Amino acid sequence: MTTIHHKEMLQEHVSMEFSSSTTHMQTFSQTTKIVGEEVVTRKSSGTTEFFSLVTRSSNIPAGESIPEFVDKPQPVTAPEGDKAMFRVRVQGNPKPNISWKRESSAPIKESAKTFYDSVNKEHVLKLEPLTSDDSDNYKCIASNDHTDAIYTVSLLVTEGQEKLDFKKMLKKRGPPPPKKKQKKVTDEKEMLEILSKVPKKDFEKVCMEYGFTDFRGLLKKLKGMKKVEVETIQILKPLEDRETKVDTMVVFDCIMELKDPNVKMTWIKDNEPLRIPYSLGKYDVKQMGTKYMLVITNVNMNDAGTYSLSVGNKRISAKLTVLDEPLNFLGEMKPMKVTERQTAVFEIRLSKKVPNFVWKFNGKELKRDEKYEITVSEDGLTHTLKVKDARLSDNGEFSAEAGDLVQKAQLTIDRIPIKFVSTLKNVRVKERSCACLECELTSKNVTLRWKKDGQLLERSSKYSMNHEGKRVELVIEDAQLSDGGEYTVVAMQDGDPTEYCSTSVVTVEERLATVKSVMSDVHAATESPAELCVVLNDEKVDGVWLKDEEEITDLTGVQIVKQGAVHKLIFPNMGPEHEGKYTFRAKGAESEASVFIADPPTIDPSVLEALAAHPVTVKAGHTANIKVPFRAKPLPKVTWYKDGMEVTEEERVSMERGEDQALLTISNCAREDSGIIMLKLKNDHGSATATLHLSVLDRPKPPQGRVEFLELSGNCVHMKWKAPKDNGGRPITQFIVERKAVGKKSWIKIGEVDDEVTKFSTNKVEEGKAYQFRILAVNEGVSDPLEAEEVFAGNPIESPGLASQPQVTDMTKEAVTIRWNAPTQDGGAPVLSYIVEQRKKGSNLWVPVNKDPIQGTKYTVDGLLEDTEYEFRVVAVNKAGPGQPSMPSSSVVAKDPVKPPGLVQGLHVDSSNFSISLAWPEPAEGDPPSGYILEMRAEDTKEWSKCTKIPISGTCYTVGGLTERQKYFFRIRAVNEAGCGEPVELDEGIRPPPAAPKFDLSARLKSHMVVRAGTVLCIYATFSGSPPPSVIWLKEGMPTKGREAITKSKNHSQFLISSTKRSDSGVYRILLQNEFGEAYHDIHVRVADFPQPPTNLQLFEEVPNTVTLTWNHSPDVQEDREAHYVIMKRDASTATWFTVAEHVFSNKYMVTGLLPARKYYSFRVLARNEIGDSGPLDSRDTWLVNKDKIEDQSAKLKPYQQKDWRHAPRFLTPLKPHTVLRGQDCTMTSAFLGNPRPTVTLYKGDVNITANSKFWYNSTSGVCTIVIPTCTLKDSGEYSVLVENELGKDRSGCTLTVYDKDDKAIRASVTESLQKKSKYLM
């Protein structure tokens, strides 16, 4: 029988009960107020099921639900020693938490297990093994944020087979109970009668009570006895009359003891046996132990009557009365409002079943179909109507009609709110780019509008508005700076007045380009095409062209072309008007280049033909002017060549370059100037050449070479020669041959020959007489003669040998005088003259320097270039001709000779101590010196010795290392390249005055030294004093002991210990003494070694469960501030030492964290310094922490006083004023504190901007950060942050100033503030 009641009352929570009758009386009480109650009763023999629901809130969000038992736990009846398992499957959102409890508040036994069966998705409580103490009602509690669902079921543990649990008996056995008086039984027969009436399990107990010890003997006799006749059926509880309502469930039960469990039992109604197997669940018979039950479900009026149970020869009866209730609604249908496409549910409960219940919509009866789902509960009382996929057409009145009863309720359909699956995002684009705003809605049947800064936008070529399905798009073509702003899309739908908006900010950044490829200067020929080209990194950026800083608007012959990111300025025909400086300017980019006319040099071909056909002729001594016209731009470089060698300007040669001609002027022309003249014109764009012939007319040159004598005899001289190399510009007409006798001055013409004949013979000679011949070439003039060497009309002679190497004897910047010795071999004829040749150092070209023969062995070569290095050689000449050249002289630089420096005047003593300082001025005469040589000698010697190995560069010097009371004399002389000047001696000798000892601090004498034991200790001291002081080394004020090695000299001393010990530590003093004073210096020396171990380690307990260690200090730890102790421990579980503490500087330490009942073998203390560890100091005795000594210290602790940490919010770091450039991002930060955590609200002025998508903000861990992306001038203003909680509030504000880059006043103030800040930081 199932009954459902509804009570409509506003209460705190909902409670549901689910109960059944058992063999014991059960009472359930509710202390909470009830909104709705469900009572479901299931009766079965000896079992209980109970369900309750506790709701925390009446409003459950969409998509969430209360816990619901999908598979409920079932009551369990099991014998002792067996196991019981409760299984439950629960669903709900949020996911419920499952717990188990006993209704009696007793704890669930420790051996019980609770787990989750992931395969069957069930929560399980397992009890094993079962005892009689486990019998109870068990609660399964499913909890989430909305409701606690509690399902209670019973566990009945029945008696099992008799088993003796000796272990359990031992556990429960206590002191022996007081002895009871044994009951007296007359004989054994009476005892057997008693045993026949008690259960078998109590036989032993009863026998003990009556004093019979032969239990087993009585048992055998009892089995052999004839059973006593007893009553087979004993009714302990009869059937009782029942009264119930229609459609409920009723149970008839009785308790009987049957001797024969197979006795026949029959249930009867009104004298008619019940056909229970064929009742289709109407009737059900159950047995629980000695309790027998008849369950009647879905009771109706026909079930009323008398019900009997026939058992054997006995029959017990009871009456069932069925009460009929009037039909009415157990509640009211409430108006319902649902959102479109959701399911609307109407539910009504009747007091009893009716066959003619109908649902209607606006008066029209509804039938079950895909739209409407009509259901009835199992008991037929609760009717449910579900309106699926609700639409606007479902708005109206729904009614439930049962007979004459009618309930009505209004259904209101709300449109599904439009939601943005993806909202508009802030967009940042470059100028001239395309900006796209897009979002996605949850519905496609919407009406859309777009707004910019609150103004409605219309579809145009500028704005492209697309709406495809649920996606919405706004495309801004060719975005300009003015297109930046706040864009909003407004979506609306039919039947819904709400405007659904999404907003984003479009930021159009000024498109600033950079030059990817710069312009280059252009050089182009006249009337040729040219172009300037610049490539930007952005093809959407335009620019302007300027010529000489003026924009090009109407420049003829110029084309401006733009090809994507390539910008060109094209000149089809280059002209002079196009030359200039051109600039291309775009936003953020600029490039400059210049355009030049670039004509290569050209010479008129007719001029070239004329120059080639008509050579330039000029007489010797006259001036030759060679002009060559040309055309070129820029003006070319002009280079003249003669016979392939470049012509340079000199005294006779000048070169000029005009705008259209090149001029070469050669004054005082000589025959050598004749030759091929070439003009070369060259600029960056080409070159041109012109060639002509310059002819200088002059008398011919002498015939070439030496006169070769073919025959020299007493009666004939036959000679030949070569024609002149240069005929002087005109043909040779004849040669004249002249002769003179050696020793005579007059020449006699002895013949002439034609120009084609270069031989001549004469017989006008005398045997053995010396002659000299010469030949002259004749054209319009007569050449210089070619003179032959002196010959004898007879025997021939050879050329002379080598002269000696020339030596330079004098030199000036223009001339050099050399000397040499005559050759040792004269070739059979005396040397007649010498030829001197010169060359520049490094050159291979030797040039003769004398035109006339040199008779002597000395010659002055003039016409030299100053500061040029030369070499010279000499060639000897006799009658046979010139000999081989001598070895070259040493190279010499042509310059005036340097004079030795003059006397050094004014040598004087500047100061004197144990050293003598001398000073002097520079010499007034002679060339400047390069240094000075200072010499000295003692009074007892006459030899002078230099004070320095090299000359002194300055004009002062200090002489040290002098012997006291010794008299010294000094002299000085200047020195330079020319040599040393004369020495100047000091007027009188000097004696160094006495001086007290003094340490040389520049030697970095140390005050503190640290050395490692076993290494070398070396102390080196430098000092001075006159007379030299005595040196004494002391340690701690006492003379050293002799392990050291001490070396001494006049001005230094060294203290050395080759292998140091710790005992060598101390204060060392070096003491200097002479008769004029004393000085000392202390050196603190520390010899570091492994520290000495501590001593006398003691263990004792100051604080319970700890051990305190004390020991005597190591002397090294007391002396060395860096030294310390290390504490270690070792217990019985390991042989390893573990470090307890390091860097312990005192001689006492408390070791904590010792484990109870753990035996510690020993403790160890080490001393440690920078060298290493000392030997260990181990404890002699072990230490044991007794477990019994552990005390509970918690009782001694003071009770915790909870502190109220709540406080009103306050700002730790307020907002600060900001000044930013337009287009930049601004970030403002503040820090606050508050408990409970404050809420944060942002304001601009008095307007709340917290939810404005234009501003980004984040509040984490008490730090609030506000970001304003791409600031505009509109963003300037006052900003503030408000933090508040239940205890108070606080506010912090600041000013934001957005300025343009053209705002010079604000830029100046910002720059000034930054400079002040940087100055402060510096």
Side-chain angles (χ1 to χ4, degrees):
M1 179 178 65
T2 304
T3 306
I4 301 178
H5 304 278
H6 279 273
K7 297 179 182 179
E8 300 298 334
M9 300 170 59
L10 181 61
Q11 303 294 337
E12 296 176 6
H13 61 269
V14 178
S15 174
M16 297 184 183
E17 290 191 357
F18 190 87
S19 63
S20 67
S21 62
T22 65
T23 56
H24 303 284
M25 181 66 67
Q26 297 187 9
T27 303
F28 304 97
S29 63
Q30 296 295 324
T31 59
T32 58
K33 298 178 182 180
I34 299 174
V35 173
E37 178 182 299
E38 291 188 6
V39 178
V40 181
T41 304
R42 295 181 183 173
K43 290 193 175 180
S44 61
S45 177
T47 63
T48 299
E49 293 182 59
F50 179 84
F51 175 77
S52 62
L53 193 66
V54 180
T55 304
R56 296 186 177 86
S57 62
S58 58
N59 296 325
I60 299 177
E64 298 187 3
S65 63
I66 64 174
E68 179 183 353
F69 286 94
V70 179
D71 291 335
K72 304 177 180 63
Q74 300 297 324
V76 176
T77 301
E80 284 185 307
D82 204 347
K83 65 180 178 181
M85 295 182 69
F86 295 104
R87 293 179 176 269
V88 61
R89 190 149 59 96
V90 183
Q91 67 181 13
N93 188 17
K95 184 178 180 181
N97 296 320
I98 306 300
S99 61
W100 299 86
K101 291 184 179 179
R102 291 178 66 163
E103 190 177 52
S104 62
S105 300
I108 298 177
K109 63 192 302 180
E110 293 183 0
S111 61
K113 297 181 182 179
T114 58
F115 57 91
Y116 178 72
D117 184 354
S118 59
V119 176
N120 300 316
K121 298 182 179 180
E122 293 177 332
H123 296 270
V124 181
L125 170 62
K126 182 178 181 181
L127 302 170
E128 183 182 16
L130 292 175
T131 64
S132 58
D133 296 335
D134 294 329
S135 294
D136 202 346
N137 290 334
Y138 287 80
K139 295 181 179 181
C140 178
I141 305 171
S143 304
N144 67 6
D145 296 341
H146 308 301
T147 306
D148 291 344
I150 306 172
Y151 203 97
T152 305
V153 293
S154 62
L155 170 63
L156 180 62
V157 181
T158 60
E159 296 177 351
Q161 294 182 354
E162 186 174 351
K163 293 182 181 180
L164 292 178
D165 188 351
F166 293 101
K167 185 176 180 181
K168 184 175 181 182
M169 293 171 64
L170 289 173
K171 287 182 180 178
K172 293 186 176 181
R173 182 169 298 168
K179 293 184 178 180
K180 298 181 181 179
K181 282 188 176 182
Q182 294 184 351
K183 300 178 181 180
K184 294 183 179 180
V185 179
T186 56
D187 54 14
E188 186 177 291
K189 183 179 181 180
E190 186 179 352
M191 189 66 226
L192 290 174
E193 291 180 359
I194 295 172
L195 290 178
S196 65
K197 298 179 181 180
V198 299
K200 186 177 180 180
K201 65 178 182 178
D202 296 332
F203 280 1
E204 184 179 5
K205 181 179 178 182
V206 173
C207 288
M208 296 297 292
E209 289 179 356
Y210 287 92
F212 279 85
T213 58
D214 188 9
F215 165 70
R216 298 188 180 276
L218 288 175
L219 186 60
K220 290 180 181 180
K221 292 179 181 181
L222 184 63
K223 290 181 179 179
M225 289 177 60
K226 186 177 181 179
K227 294 185 178 180
V228 181
E229 291 291 332
V230 295
E231 186 179 2
T232 59
I233 301 172
Q234 185 176 359
I235 299 174
L236 303 179
K237 176 189 174 186
L239 294 176
E240 297 177 353
D241 293 341
R242 300 293 186 190
E243 186 177 283
T244 187
K245 297 178 182 180
V246 176
D247 294 330
T248 61
M249 181 179 69
V250 68
V251 178
F252 288 99
D253 60 334
C254 65
I255 299 177
M256 298 183 298
E257 289 187 356
L258 303 177
K259 294 299 182 178
D260 183 7
N262 296 321
V263 64
K264 183 177 180 180
M265 301 177 65
T266 306
W267 286 93
I268 303 169
K269 179 195 175 194
D270 297 334
N271 297 322
E272 290 291 333
L274 293 177
R275 303 178 67 183
I276 295 174
Y278 306 102
S279 65
L280 300 177
K282 177 71 174 181
Y283 303 105
D284 188 15
V285 176
K286 294 184 179 181
Q287 178 185 357
M288 183 179 291
T290 58
K291 186 176 182 179
Y292 299 88
M293 296 177 290
L294 173 64
V295 180
I296 306 172
T297 59
N298 297 326
V299 175
N300 53 44
M301 296 302 295
N302 298 326
D303 292 328
T306 302
Y307 288 84
S308 304
L309 174 60
S310 175
V311 183
N313 58 358
K314 291 189 178 182
R315 185 170 179 170
I316 54 178
S317 302
K319 186 177 182 181
L320 173 62
T321 303
V322 180
L323 303 177
D324 191 12
E325 293 183 356
L327 178 63
N328 53 35
F329 289 107
L330 302 179
E332 294 183 1
M333 286 173 51
K334 291 185 178 181
M336 182 168 292
K337 179 185 289 188
V338 297
T339 305
E340 185 180 12
R341 303 190 70 85
Q342 290 186 343
T343 299
V345 180
F346 292 99
E347 187 177 81
I348 191 69
R349 186 172 179 83
L350 303 177
S351 61
K352 64 179 182 179
K353 286 184 178 180
V354 293
N356 56 347
F357 182 89
V358 295
W359 289 96
K360 292 185 177 181
F361 171 59
N362 291 334
K364 183 179 179 181
E365 184 177 351
L366 300 178
K367 300 295 183 182
R368 183 194 304 268
D369 57 14
E370 294 181 356
K371 179 69 175 178
Y372 302 103
E373 180 181 334
I374 300 174
T375 59
V376 182
S377 63
E378 292 180 1
D379 58 6
L381 301 179
T382 302
H383 296 263
T384 305
L385 170 65
K386 293 184 179 180
V387 183
K388 300 180 180 178
D389 192 21
R391 299 300 179 98
L392 289 178
S393 58
D394 294 324
N395 270 317
E397 185 179 71
F398 285 82
S399 60
E401 298 182 4
D404 296 333
L405 296 179
V406 179
Q407 281 266 353
K408 297 182 179 180
Q410 189 72 24
L411 174 61
T412 304
I413 307 299
D414 289 340
R415 293 299 303 268
I416 298 177
I418 300 174
K419 293 184 179 179
F420 288 89
V421 178
S422 61
T423 59
L424 296 179
K425 307 297 183 184
N426 292 339
V427 175
R428 187 190 296 265
V429 298
K430 295 287 187 180
E431 185 183 7
R432 299 289 303 278
S433 296
C434 176
C436 182
L437 300 175
E438 59 180 0
C439 63
E440 184 176 353
L441 308 174
T442 55
S443 176
K444 59 184 179 180
N445 299 319
V446 296
T447 303
L448 298 173
R449 289 178 296 157
W450 287 90
K451 294 181 179 181
K452 175 182 180 293
D453 297 331
Q455 299 296 321
L456 188 64
L457 295 178
E458 299 294 339
R459 188 185 303 271
S460 63
S461 59
K462 181 73 175 179
Y463 300 105
S464 175
M465 304 174 185
N466 302 321
H467 181 193
E468 295 181 2
K470 297 180 181 180
R471 296 200 63 83
V472 180
E473 182 181 65
L474 173 66
V475 180
I476 306 172
E477 302 289 347
D478 193 23
Q480 303 297 325
L481 294 177
S482 58
D483 292 328
E486 188 176 79
Y487 286 80
T488 303
V489 59
V490 181
M492 297 186 68
Q493 58 184 346
D494 295 338
D496 187 358
T498 307
E499 291 186 350
Y500 301 91
C501 302
S502 178
T503 303
S504 67
V505 176
V506 175
T507 303
V508 181
E509 296 180 344
E510 187 175 8
R511 185 177 288 274
L512 301 177
T514 58
V515 177
K516 191 174 182 181
S517 176
V518 299
M519 293 191 297
S520 301
D521 291 344
V522 173
H523 299 265
T526 304
E527 296 183 357
S528 65
E531 70 176 22
L532 292 173
C533 179
V534 60
V535 182
L536 304 180
N537 68 335
D538 194 335
E539 63 181 16
K540 294 187 178 182
V541 176
D542 293 330
V544 296
W545 290 89
L546 299 92
K547 180 178 183 293
D548 298 330
E549 298 301 327
E550 292 185 3
E551 185 175 353
I552 298 175
T553 56
D554 56 353
L555 185 61
T556 58
V558 175
Q559 299 176 9
I560 298 177
V561 177
K562 179 179 183 296
Q563 298 173 344
V566 180
H567 299 258
K568 294 183 179 181
L569 189 66
I570 300 175
F571 306 90
N573 294 300
M574 198 67 184
E577 68 277 6
H578 296 144
E579 282 192 303
K581 179 180 178 182
Y582 289 84
T583 305
F584 176 80
R585 286 180 184 166
K587 290 183 179 180
E590 182 173 315
S591 181
E592 294 182 351
S594 296
V595 174
F596 302 96
I597 296 294
D599 289 337
T602 57
I603 302 174
D604 194 306
S606 60
V607 175
L608 294 175
E609 293 178 1
L611 292 175
H614 305 287
V616 178
T617 302
V618 62
K619 291 185 178 181
H622 292 199
T623 299
N625 293 313
I626 305 174
K627 294 181 182 180
V628 179
F630 66 84
R631 187 171 57 127
K633 193 165 186 180
L635 291 178
K637 177 183 177 182
V638 176
T639 308
W640 293 89
Y641 295 88
K642 176 182 177 294
D643 298 330
M645 300 293 293
E646 183 178 350
V647 178
T648 58
E649 285 194 357
E650 54 187 43
E651 184 178 355
R652 294 189 309 112
V653 180
S654 64
M655 293 176 285
E656 295 181 9
R657 183 192 66 182
E659 291 293 329
D660 56 356
Q661 67 176 5
L663 174 62
L664 173 64
T665 302
I666 305 175
S667 60
N668 193 20
C669 287
R671 178 58 185 167
E672 290 79 6
D673 295 330
S674 298
I676 303 300
I677 304 296
M678 185 180 72
L679 168 64
K680 185 175 183 180
L681 304 173
K682 183 178 181 181
N683 61 13
D684 293 338
H685 313 290
S687 62
T689 58
T691 304
L692 57 96
H693 187 271
L694 174 61
S695 177
V696 180
L697 302 179
D698 197 1
R699 59 196 181 101
K701 294 294 182 182
Q704 292 188 71
R706 292 187 313 176
V707 177
E708 183 178 355
F709 290 94
L710 302 177
E711 182 182 352
L712 286 172
S713 61
N715 54 5
C716 179
V717 173
H718 188 191
M719 68 190 77
K720 71 175 182 178
W721 61 90
K722 294 180 181 179
K725 187 176 182 180
D726 182 12
N727 62 5
R730 286 171 286 198
I732 300 296
T733 58
Q734 61 181 6
F735 293 100
I736 297 175
V737 180
E738 295 179 339
R739 185 198 71 187
K740 74 169 183 175
V742 176
K744 294 186 178 181
K745 296 182 179 180
S746 59
W747 289 91
I748 301 171
K749 180 178 179 181
I750 59 174
E752 57 185 26
V753 293
D754 294 337
D755 61 317
E756 297 178 358
V757 179
T758 57
K759 291 182 180 181
F760 183 77
S761 297
T762 180
N763 53 5
K764 296 178 180 180
V765 293
E766 296 179 7
E767 178 71 28
K769 191 174 182 179
Y771 296 95
Q772 188 174 6
F773 298 88
R774 69 180 184 181
I775 298 97
L776 298 89
V778 179
N779 55 10
E780 292 184 2
V782 179
S783 71
D784 291 333
L786 169 63
E787 294 183 358
E789 68 273 14
E790 293 180 358
V791 294
F792 289 88
N795 296 327
I797 57 175
E798 296 180 357
S799 58
L802 298 179
S804 67
Q805 183 182 18
Q807 301 295 325
V808 177
T809 59
D810 194 10
M811 176 181 61
T812 66
K813 63 182 179 180
E814 296 179 352
V816 171
T817 301
I818 59 175
R819 288 179 180 272
W820 63 91
N821 294 325
T824 57
Q825 301 292 332
D826 60 3
V831 174
L832 302 178
S833 62
Y834 296 93
I835 300 172
V836 176
E837 296 177 332
Q838 71 175 20
R839 72 173 177 183
K840 293 180 181 180
K841 178 72 172 183
S843 174
N844 292 325
L845 179 62
W846 287 94
V847 180
V849 297
N850 59 310
K851 294 183 179 180
D852 299 326
I854 301 171
Q855 301 300 327
T857 56
K858 178 180 179 183
Y859 186 75
T860 299
V861 182
D862 55 5
L864 302 179
L865 298 178
E866 186 176 2
D867 294 328
T868 304
E869 195 170 3
Y870 293 94
E871 291 178 334
F872 303 93
R873 69 181 182 181
V874 178
V875 179
V877 181
N878 64 4
K879 291 182 180 180
Q884 295 297 319
S886 68
M887 291 290 294
S889 68
S890 299
S891 61
V892 61
V893 178
K895 61 180 181 179
D896 291 334
V898 179
K899 298 180 181 180
L903 294 177
V904 178
Q905 303 293 340
L907 178 64
H908 62 279
V909 178
D910 193 29
S911 64
S912 64
N913 200 338
F914 47 83
S915 61
I916 297 176
S917 296
L918 301 172
W920 57 90
E922 289 189 1
E925 299 177 357
D927 287 341
S930 60
Y932 301 89
I933 299 176
L934 180 64
E935 298 175 307
M936 71 173 183
R937 67 177 179 85
E939 185 179 18
D940 55 355
T941 182
K942 293 184 179 181
E943 293 182 0
W944 293 91
S945 61
K946 293 182 179 180
C947 297
T948 59
K949 294 182 179 180
I950 60 175
I952 301 168
S953 59
T955 58
C956 61
Y957 185 73
T958 299
V959 182
L962 303 179
T963 304
E964 67 281 359
R965 297 188 179 91
Q966 176 69 51
K967 191 173 185 179
Y968 292 93
F969 294 91
F970 295 90
R971 72 178 185 181
I972 191 169
R973 52 182 171 176
V975 62
N976 63 10
E977 294 181 19
C980 297
E982 295 297 326
V984 175
E985 189 174 345
L986 197 63
D987 295 338
E988 57 185 13
I990 302 297
R991 296 180 188 274
K998 181 180 179 181
F999 285 97
D1000 184 5
L1001 299 180
S1002 63
R1004 297 183 181 178
L1005 185 60
K1006 297 179 180 179
S1007 299
H1008 292 78
M1009 298 179 67
V1010 178
V1011 296
R1012 185 170 180 174
T1015 59
V1016 175
L1017 169 64
C1018 180
I1019 305 174
Y1020 186 85
T1022 304
F1023 50 82
S1024 60
S1026 182
S1030 62
V1031 181
I1032 301 175
W1033 288 89
L1034 303 174
K1035 177 187 177 187
E1036 305 293 348
M1038 301 294 293
T1040 53
K1041 298 180 180 179
R1043 292 184 58 250
E1044 69 283 349
I1046 299 176
T1047 58
K1048 301 177 183 179
S1049 69
K1050 288 185 179 181
N1051 54 5
H1052 72 270
S1053 179
Q1054 177 178 284
F1055 182 91
L1056 179 69
I1057 298 178
S1058 59
S1059 178
T1060 54
K1061 301 179 180 179
R1062 293 178 59 87
S1063 58
D1064 293 328
S1065 298
V1067 179
Y1068 289 80
R1069 171 173 291 184
I1070 177 172
L1071 179 63
L1072 307 177
Q1073 294 178 336
N1074 66 9
E1075 56 191 86
F1076 298 100
E1078 67 178 27
Y1080 68 87
H1081 184 80
D1082 290 340
I1083 304 98
H1084 297 261
V1085 176
R1086 182 165 67 87
V1087 180
D1089 199 356
F1090 294 98
Q1092 301 179 33
T1095 58
N1096 192 23
L1097 178 61
Q1098 301 291 331
L1099 309 180
F1100 58 92
E1101 185 178 38
E1102 285 185 339
V1103 178
N1105 308 325
T1106 66
V1107 59
T1108 301
L1109 283 64
T1110 63
W1111 59 90
N1112 294 338
H1113 269 304
S1114 167
D1116 297 318
V1117 175
Q1118 290 181 315
E1119 295 175 3
D1120 188 357
R1121 294 181 180 179
E1122 301 296 328
H1124 54 273
Y1125 297 103
V1126 179
I1127 314 299
M1128 307 178 77
K1129 70 179 180 181
R1130 179 169 64 90
D1131 57 32
S1133 63
T1134 178
T1136 304
W1137 287 94
F1138 295 94
T1139 301
V1140 177
E1142 294 183 307
H1143 300 287
V1144 177
F1145 293 90
S1146 67
N1147 63 338
K1148 181 178 181 181
Y1149 186 79
M1150 179 185 293
V1151 181
T1152 61
L1154 302 179
L1155 299 177
R1158 175 71 65 86
K1159 185 176 181 180
Y1160 291 85
Y1161 279 133
S1162 59
F1163 292 88
R1164 171 175 287 181
V1165 181
L1166 304 172
R1168 179 176 292 175
N1169 62 8
E1170 71 271 15
I1171 302 300
D1173 295 343
S1174 70
L1177 173 62
D1178 294 343
S1179 60
R1180 297 179 180 177
D1181 302 325
T1182 59
W1183 190 264
L1184 177 65
V1185 179
N1186 294 326
K1187 192 172 183 180
D1188 298 338
K1189 291 186 179 181
I1190 300 176
E1191 299 179 5
D1192 186 5
Q1193 303 293 332
S1194 60
K1196 300 180 181 180
L1197 298 177
K1198 295 181 180 180
Y1200 172 68
Q1201 300 293 332
Q1202 186 171 4
K1203 184 177 179 180
D1204 186 4
W1205 295 99
R1206 300 181 304 158
H1207 60 87
R1210 59 186 176 88
F1211 277 94
L1212 301 176
T1213 304
L1215 293 175
K1216 296 181 181 180
H1218 286 71
T1219 303
V1220 299
L1221 178 64
R1222 179 173 66 86
Q1224 301 293 327
D1225 295 344
C1226 176
T1227 302
M1228 297 182 281
T1229 305
S1230 64
F1232 58 86
L1233 197 63
N1235 189 16
R1237 182 178 179 182
T1239 60
V1240 179
T1241 309
L1242 310 181
Y1243 291 91
K1244 179 183 180 184
D1246 297 329
V1247 179
N1248 187 336
I1249 61 172
T1250 307
N1252 193 329
S1253 60
K1254 160 71 176 176
F1255 306 95
W1256 306 339
Y1257 95 98
N1258 182 34
S1259 178
T1260 305
S1261 301
V1263 177
C1264 179
T1265 303
I1266 308 169
V1267 179
I1268 306 176
T1270 318
C1271 292
T1272 63
L1273 297 178
K1274 295 180 181 180
D1275 293 326
S1276 298
E1278 298 290 334
Y1279 290 82
S1280 60
V1281 178
L1282 176 66
V1283 291
E1284 56 183 339
N1285 62 10
E1286 59 190 32
L1287 300 178
K1289 59 184 178 180
D1290 195 7
R1291 193 166 190 152
S1292 175
C1294 71
T1295 302
L1296 170 61
T1297 303
V1298 181
Y1299 68 94
D1300 204 339
K1301 61 183 180 180
D1302 297 330
D1303 194 340
K1304 298 182 179 179
I1306 295 182
R1307 291 181 63 187
S1309 64
V1310 172
T1311 304
E1312 183 179 357
S1313 65
L1314 291 175
Q1315 290 175 349
K1316 289 182 179 179
K1317 183 176 181 180
S1318 63
K1319 181 178 180 182
Y1320 172 75
L1321 291 174
M1322 291 173 65

